[in-house]
Amino acid sequence: MLVNNVFRQNSFYTALYQMIPDNHILKQIDSAIDLSFVNDLLADRY
């Protein structure tokens, strides 16, 4: 059985996000605050 080990990038934004250091202020804010409710509130706007 042949197996191809090919790296597949999920998205351009995922690659960029991984380049940001873990101690960056925006990553710290993202881990501390859950803003997922905003998507639900704005769903009918877009």
Side-chain angles (χ1 to χ4, degrees):
M1 178 177 193
L2 295 176
V3 177
N4 290 332
N5 291 329
V6 178
F7 174 75
R8 294 180 191 243
Q9 182 175 320
N10 290 336
S11 75
F12 176 72
Y13 298 106
T14 302
L16 284 179
Y17 189 79
Q18 291 173 347
M19 295 173 74
I20 301 170
D22 289 334
N23 63 348
H24 191 277
I25 186 69
L26 293 178
K27 274 196 172 182
Q28 292 174 358
I29 292 170
D30 184 45
S31 67
I33 300 173
D34 180 20
L35 296 174
S36 60
F37 69 93
V38 175
N39 289 335
D40 295 333
L41 290 174
L42 300 176
D44 61 340
R45 305 276 193 258
Y46 57 93

